[in-house]
Amino acid sequence: MANYFNKSTDQVLKEFNTSKNGLDNGTLEMHKEKYGPNALNEKKKKSLVTVFLEQFKDLLVIILIIAGIISMATGEMESTIVIFAVIILNAILGTVQHVKAEQSLGSLKALSAPHAKVMRNGVKIEIESKDIVPGDILVLEAGDLVCADGRIIENYSLQVAESALTGESESVTKTSDLIDKDEVALGDQINMVFSSSLVTYGRALVVVTSTGMNTELGKIATLMEQTQEKKTPLQISMDDFSKKLAIVILVICAVVFGLSVYRNTPVLDSLMFAVALAVAAIPEALSSIVTIVLAIGTQKMAKENAIIKSLKAVEGLGSVSIICSDKTGTLTQNKMTTKELYVDSKLIDSKDLDLNSKPCKYLLDSAVLCNDSTSIDGKEIGDPTEVALVNLAHLYNVKELDLRSNFERLKEIPFDSDRKLMSTLHKIDGKNTLFTKGAFDVLLNRITNILTSDGVRPITEEDKRNIINTNMKLSQNGLRVLAFAYKEIPEIRDLSLEDENGYTFIGLISMIDPPRVESAEAVRDCITAGIKPIMITGDHKITASAIAKQIGILQDGDMAIEGLELDKMSDEELNRKLEHISVYARVSPEHKIRIVNAWQNKSKIVAMTGDGVNDAPALKQADIGIAMGITGTEVSKDAASMILTDDNFATIVKAVTNGRNVYSNIKNSIKFLLSGNTSGIIAVLYATLAALPVPFHPVHLLFINLLTDSLPAIAIGVEKPSKDLLKDKPRDSKESILTKDFIKEIALEGLVIAIFTLIAFHIGLNVGGEAVGSTMAFATLCLARLFHGFNCRGKKSIFKIGLFTNKFSWYAFLTGAVLLNAVLFVPPLQKLFEVAPLNIGNIGLIYLLAFLPTVIIQGVKVFLDFFQKEDSEEEKASI
Ligand code: ATP
């Protein structure tokens, strides 16, 4: 592999047949063919066999295997076959689900695939990083993820974090100079950048030397083993629950077995009781259902513009009680248009610049030269603030590329949100002129002179007062105001932050960035949902407050404070005022961390948006870090747990609703499965204690648990969000899913179903003996659980939820009923599932007895709905 750090820029450009203007079309095609896509090999996937075998590790599956062996020992061949068939089917389903989950995560990852800026045919364009080829000229800017290895050919104070490669978290300062040694360590190749590094500061042009598996990262194969998707708290608590359940089942089985033996029941029959109980109690489908519902939830969110990077975030979203949002682009449209300009002590419309006057000309020149963006043929690349300035120049037929090639950029200090300034050095009329643009309040204190049509003169207090008043007037209308200044410096040399002082004031440019139409409604929804929306912005306090008022974030009695004020506050003071502060302006990323911490100390779950390179720590600190898909830096996307593909605040609120919905659906599915199992357990326990025959064969219970119960459980999992979902307070994140009330409901509903199942069992025993009794018990239990699927769709009665609002619940019910009838009426299935033929009267009785639990449960719900309505009306009256 060639070393590029010790080759000159020209040599490397020549080797790849390229220039600073980038590849031409012909060479590009050749390189595509020669080098292929810029893709790192997928992680080594687990083999299907390994995944299949892993399915047998589950303690509950082991209990089932034991049940199968006991069945075999008791000569119950049909049961044995079905139990083992079920175990194998279960493992196949688990394997398929694993593969599907991997695919779906893969497609989500593809949605958030990184982009890169390259020069091609002399034009800067943005492409997917997989389309980069060696020889491409990469344009790196702060916040970018480096997607290939390359040699730096032009450097403007570039700093990169290479921790993914070197483990070193400190940023490294880079150079474009030649390194004239043969053997240097990777970290010493400071004229090279490497794939997976993050640009933390500055800019550079880089010629790509290797891509994909040929990069340094590609060579370190172990690094490619992407980390496995971690289990979510819900999945962990379900696993934990399953383990505990398994132990409880074993103990109860032992007790039931002991009891039967004590009663002189033959050992084999006693064993059959224990097996039936184990099979009844094990919620075989539970963990798959939780995973399936989570996966469906993430797919739905992706369609609604929120890409979830970790499943954990889906659950976390349901508990969010604070949303800290950037202003620009998230609450506003990020479509900046210049409005009024202040130049030569006059406030004028942006269309009224007189380019014959030096202040006006300097204002426009500085706006275009001290600017990295372009707007060519309607294609805007770069920061919208800067694009607005380029578009302003277009009004005067000034083309950014022409002006920039006439007055080349000699040196620069790039913009960063902490400093809020950007400076570039150019030779203008033979003088080295440093143009600076930036936040009005930051620049104002560094001004000593003012440029007027009569020339440059020292700035007076009155000038400053006028500028401040103008800024105030513009900001109060929600406009962003940028200040422009310049200074001449004697020679061309590297610039330092000390140079950003002693300026001559040129003027102000104001621009409008209207709020998104949907922001106000989303803010209202947030407040109804018990979530506090907070604006955190780098913008000026007055501008921020004006926008926050328009969309309802800043209300009477709320406070807006600046970063500097926050610095002066002690932790105690911040704690006291926290609930009242709705706008933080002129903040730096460190402030964001302090705000997140302060809320988290009050046990709140905080969602925080961020787009800049320095936002990464705050995004990691927040419970839900949210990055912007369009304007966000790759660094912020890397740190976030959710990415908004439309950068829209309203999407966060939608995602929170979806998060709450997914959680409540999962909870309802769990309730459905566990209450059904409870009814099975109660029936078996009753039969043991009453010294009756076993009411169900293991095949019956497996049929219900795995087949007919799974369908309504999934249907419940895809229930649409109810209108009331946003009226509830956020869920306490520490609250366990299995609360006392929840367990009580499960037990009661299970008991009701068990009572009717046992009535059917007794009737069957009386009219037709053991076989008919067991068939009637099985059919009633199965059907009652299918009806119960409608009860578990939500807290309210089915009349409130709407009987036909979830078509899947009907498909599930009908499919389950058809399957049950097939087992009851098709002779080979009758034999396999050990059911006795029933007469029409018995069948009618089964349908009636299976329906009655639902009548009772719905009756109670209707009653509760009625009282809750009265309560809420009383509440309204008292308000
Ligand atoms: P938000 O934090 O809500 O996204 P923001 O865009 O105002 O808001 P920053 O990008 O950190 O936040 O900008 C902070 C301030 O820096 C702005 O209010 C503006 O005055 C100034 N500024 C923004 N972009 C530039 C730029 N490209 N060049 C110079 N100054 C800029």
Side-chain angles (χ1 to χ4, degrees):
M1 189 72 206
N3 288 332
Y4 293 99
F5 60 85
N6 55 8
K7 287 190 180 168
S8 72
T9 299
D10 285 341
Q11 274 174 314
V12 185
L13 289 174
K14 209 161 154 203
E15 185 166 326
F16 288 100
N17 198 8
T18 183
S19 73
K20 283 185 184 176
N21 279 336
L23 294 169
D24 57 49
N25 288 344
T27 324
L28 176 66
E29 286 312 313
M30 265 166 46
H31 283 201
K32 270 188 193 163
E33 196 135 300
K34 181 167 168 198
Y35 300 104
N38 175 26
L40 295 169
N41 278 357
E42 288 285 291
K43 73 167 175 164
K44 258 193 7 226
K45 288 201 181 112
K46 277 188 199 163
S47 77
L48 281 186
V49 178
T50 320
V51 178
F52 181 75
L53 290 177
E54 272 177 6
Q55 310 298 317
F56 294 92
K57 272 203 223 147
D58 195 314
L59 192 51
L60 293 179
V61 176
I62 295 173
I63 295 181
L64 267 188
I65 295 176
I66 296 172
I69 294 172
I70 294 175
S71 247
M72 201 174 352
T74 54
E76 297 248 359
M77 270 341 272
E78 282 88 357
S79 281
T80 313
I81 292 170
V82 173
I83 292 180
F84 281 107
V86 158
I87 293 169
I88 291 168
L89 194 73
N90 200 30
I92 294 175
L93 281 180
T95 313
V96 170
Q97 208 184 303
H98 177 97
V99 173
K100 279 210 151 177
E102 276 204 338
Q103 278 170 352
S104 117
L105 274 176
S107 64
L108 281 184
K109 282 207 177 105
L111 278 179
S112 55
H115 284 71
K117 286 164 284 210
V118 293
M119 299 294 297
R120 281 195 183 157
N121 298 306
V123 186
K124 181 163 98 176
I125 56 166
E126 204 165 306
I127 56 169
E128 270 190 41
S129 66
K130 69 174 175 33
D131 295 329
I132 299 173
V133 291
D136 259 331
I137 304 296
L138 266 186
V139 183
L140 293 181
E141 285 166 359
D144 288 350
L145 174 73
V146 183
C147 300
D149 289 359
R151 165 82 158 83
I152 299 169
I153 54 177
E154 259 179 38
N155 178 41
Y156 303 99
S157 324
L158 186 76
Q159 289 179 16
V160 296
E162 295 177 334
S163 50
L165 262 185
T166 60
E168 190 54 64
S169 59
E170 286 277 299
S171 289
V172 187
T173 304
K174 295 283 176 173
T175 171
S176 54
D177 298 344
L178 190 70
I179 297 178
D180 197 14
K181 277 183 250 163
D182 247 350
E183 287 298 321
V184 274
L186 199 60
D188 296 333
Q189 295 178 19
I190 52 170
N191 58 6
M192 295 284 296
V193 287
F194 302 103
S195 181
S196 83
S197 312
L198 301 168
V199 181
T200 53
Y201 188 78
R203 253 172 17 101
L205 279 192
V206 167
V207 55
V208 174
T209 53
S210 32
T211 55
M213 288 308 283
N214 292 326
T215 59
E216 292 299 328
L217 183 74
K219 286 186 226 156
I220 308 171
T222 47
L223 265 182
M224 308 319 317
E225 301 260 336
Q226 294 158 10
T227 42
Q228 270 265 320
E229 175 73 12
K230 287 200 195 93
K231 291 204 166 174
T232 76
L234 191 64
Q235 287 172 321
I236 294 171
S237 80
M238 280 297 107
D239 282 357
D240 188 46
F241 169 74
S242 297
K243 265 187 215 129
K244 285 187 187 140
L245 184 70
I247 294 167
V248 172
I249 290 170
L250 285 176
V251 172
I252 297 182
C253 284
V255 172
V256 167
F257 177 71
L259 209 68
S260 303
V261 174
Y262 175 73
R263 290 233 168 108
N264 290 331
T265 317
V267 174
L268 287 183
D269 287 358
S270 306
L271 275 176
M272 277 323 290
F273 259 112
V275 168
L277 192 68
V279 177
I282 297 170
E284 287 89 351
L286 188 65
S287 89
S288 325
I289 301 279
V290 171
T291 315
I292 290 172
V293 175
L294 276 174
I296 294 174
T298 50
Q299 296 294 344
K300 179 161 185 268
M301 288 190 200
K303 275 195 205 120
E304 293 181 359
N305 301 324
I307 298 172
I308 300 290
K309 283 179 57 200
S310 91
L311 281 183
K312 219 167 120 184
V314 187
E315 286 168 46
L317 275 167
S319 317
V320 163
S321 49
I322 309 292
I323 302 180
C324 299
S325 171
D326 280 339
K327 171 180 74 68
T328 314
T330 316
L331 290 161
T332 65
Q333 299 179 10
N334 212 10
K335 286 201 187 99
M336 308 259 182
T337 320
T338 49
K339 294 300 254 188
E340 285 156 299
L341 319 175
Y342 182 78
V343 60
D344 201 12
S345 307
K346 283 188 287 286
L347 191 61
I348 56 168
D349 191 86
S350 59
K351 290 186 217 79
D352 296 338
L353 273 181
D354 171 12
L355 292 190
N356 294 318
S357 108
K358 185 166 175 189
C360 289
K361 178 146 184 8
Y362 256 47
L363 187 62
L364 202 65
D365 284 355
S366 58
V368 177
L369 293 174
C370 186
N371 186 322
D372 291 323
S373 302
T374 52
S375 170
I376 298 166
D377 300 332
K379 226 178 156 353
E380 299 176 338
I381 297 188
D383 173 5
T385 303
E386 296 193 341
V387 171
L389 299 175
V390 170
N391 287 336
L392 171 70
H394 291 180
L395 294 180
Y396 299 90
N397 276 331
V398 174
K399 299 269 176 300
E400 63 275 26
L401 294 187
D402 295 347
L403 195 70
R404 288 175 196 162
S405 69
N406 288 345
F407 303 102
E408 225 182 285
R409 189 180 290 185
L410 304 170
K411 294 282 170 192
E412 72 175 78
I413 313 181
F415 170 74
D416 83 75
S417 324
D418 272 349
R419 219 171 86 255
K420 301 179 175 57
L421 296 178
M422 168 174 178
S423 302
T424 55
L425 184 66
H426 310 263
K427 195 155 243 121
I428 310 257
D429 300 333
K431 293 186 184 122
N432 303 318
T433 309
L434 182 70
F435 283 127
T436 297
K437 75 172 194 307
F440 158 83
D441 36 331
V442 180
L443 203 53
L444 188 71
N445 299 330
R446 302 163 187 235
I447 282 166
T448 47
N449 296 317
I450 182 165
L451 175 67
T452 69
S453 41
D454 300 327
V456 177
R457 60 170 170 78
I459 195 157
T460 63
E461 280 310 309
E462 196 188 340
D463 289 327
K464 280 199 176 172
R465 246 195 326 275
N466 283 339
I467 300 171
I468 291 170
N469 288 341
T470 309
N471 172 62
M472 178 81 86
K473 187 174 153 214
L474 296 169
S475 304
Q476 275 167 348
N477 290 332
L479 298 177
R480 155 174 292 204
V481 183
L482 278 192
F484 293 79
Y486 78 100
K487 74 191 264 191
E488 283 159 15
I489 52 175
E491 81 262 316
I492 299 168
R493 54 172 166 76
D494 280 341
L495 299 171
S496 73
L497 296 186
E498 275 79 66
D499 288 312
E500 289 182 322
N501 265 308
Y503 283 114
T504 299
F505 177 76
I506 310 173
L508 304 176
I509 297 183
S510 74
M511 45 188 87
I512 186 154
D513 176 21
R516 287 175 181 268
V517 265
E518 53 283 50
S519 290
E521 196 190 334
V523 166
R524 266 198 306 277
D525 285 348
C526 254
I527 295 169
T528 322
I531 300 168
K532 184 175 173 62
I534 295 173
M535 179 191 278
I536 303 189
T537 175
D539 215 338
H540 195 276
K541 182 161 125 181
I542 303 174
T543 312
S545 303
I547 302 278
K549 262 192 202 142
Q550 280 176 33
I551 55 178
I553 287 188
L554 190 66
Q555 300 189 341
D556 291 345
D558 285 350
M559 292 166 69
I561 66 163
E562 276 191 4
L564 281 177
E565 294 170 66
L566 185 59
D567 284 337
K568 287 190 202 128
M569 274 189 198
S570 65
D571 286 344
E572 291 73 43
E573 193 182 353
L574 178 60
N575 247 345
R576 251 184 296 118
K577 296 187 173 160
L578 199 63
E579 268 93 358
H580 304 289
I581 309 175
S582 294
V583 175
Y584 295 85
R586 287 287 187 245
V587 286
S588 63
E590 295 75 58
H591 292 128
K592 286 189 168 182
I593 300 181
R594 191 163 171 218
I595 298 164
V596 174
N597 271 331
W599 278 112
Q600 284 175 335
N601 286 341
K602 291 188 183 243
S603 303
K604 300 287 183 199
I605 300 294
V606 186
M608 158 83 72
T609 68
D611 49 11
V613 56
N614 299 333
D615 285 336
L619 291 179
K620 284 211 169 120
Q621 172 68 34
D623 300 279
I624 310 280
I626 306 170
M628 302 296 133
I630 305 171
T631 53
T633 52
E634 297 299 338
V635 180
S636 61
K637 290 182 202 168
D638 199 58
S641 46
M642 179 166 112
I643 301 175
L644 305 181
T645 53
D646 61 354
D647 291 12
N648 191 342
F649 178 77
T651 303
I652 307 176
V653 182
K654 248 193 259 163
V656 169
T657 318
N658 278 325
R660 284 187 181 190
N661 190 42
V662 166
Y663 192 85
S664 101
N665 287 350
I666 288 180
K667 199 168 169 178
N668 288 335
S669 294
I670 291 174
K671 186 176 159 198
F672 169 74
L673 292 172
L674 294 188
S675 52
N677 278 21
T678 308
S679 54
I681 299 173
I682 294 174
V684 177
L685 273 180
Y686 168 84
T688 324
L689 295 174
L692 294 170
V694 199
F696 317 106
H697 293 277
V699 279
H700 296 157
L701 296 162
L702 287 174
F703 176 81
I704 298 176
N705 284 3
L706 270 156
L707 217 59
T708 54
D709 253 17
S710 300
L711 306 170
I714 295 177
I716 294 167
V718 296
E719 188 77 27
K720 292 199 195 82
S722 80
K723 280 186 225 104
D724 293 340
L725 203 64
L726 275 182
K727 287 194 196 136
D728 292 342
K729 294 271 155 292
R731 174 173 53 86
D732 179 356
S733 64
K734 291 198 205 83
E735 179 194 287
S736 145
I737 197 158
L738 298 166
T739 57
K740 264 197 199 136
D741 281 346
F742 189 64
I743 294 174
K744 227 192 280 169
E745 279 175 39
I746 290 176
L748 281 176
E749 289 174 10
L751 181 66
V752 176
I753 297 174
I755 289 173
F756 287 91
T757 305
L758 287 168
I759 293 175
F761 182 47
H762 273 289
I763 295 175
L765 278 180
N766 287 339
V767 297
E770 222 174 277
V772 174
S774 133
T775 306
M776 283 190 64
F778 153 61
T780 308
L781 181 70
C782 177
L783 202 58
R785 282 162 75 163
L786 285 171
F787 279 122
H788 190 46
F790 291 99
N791 299 329
C792 295
R793 282 181 52 201
K795 268 195 218 139
K796 299 236 151 83
S797 73
I798 196 73
F799 307 106
K800 278 257 152 94
I801 297 172
L803 192 53
F804 298 103
T805 45
N806 180 351
K807 58 177 191 287
F808 296 105
S809 65
W810 278 101
Y811 297 155
F813 175 79
L814 293 174
T815 317
V818 168
L819 288 172
L820 173 66
N821 283 306
V823 167
L824 292 180
F825 294 113
V826 178
L829 290 178
Q830 280 177 343
K831 195 166 175 323
L832 190 65
F833 284 92
E834 301 181 46
V835 300
L838 298 177
N839 62 32
I840 197 77
N842 288 342
I843 297 283
L845 212 57
I846 287 170
Y847 270 82
L848 178 71
L849 290 171
F851 187 54
L852 284 177
T854 293
V855 173
I856 294 173
I857 294 168
Q858 285 299 327
V860 173
K861 283 182 185 245
V862 170
F863 182 74
L864 290 177
D865 284 352
F866 181 73
F867 276 98
Q868 267 158 12
K869 198 171 129 209
E870 286 212 328
D871 281 355
S872 63
E873 265 162 18
E874 257 168 44
E875 256 170 46
K876 265 189 218 154
S878 67
I879 292 166

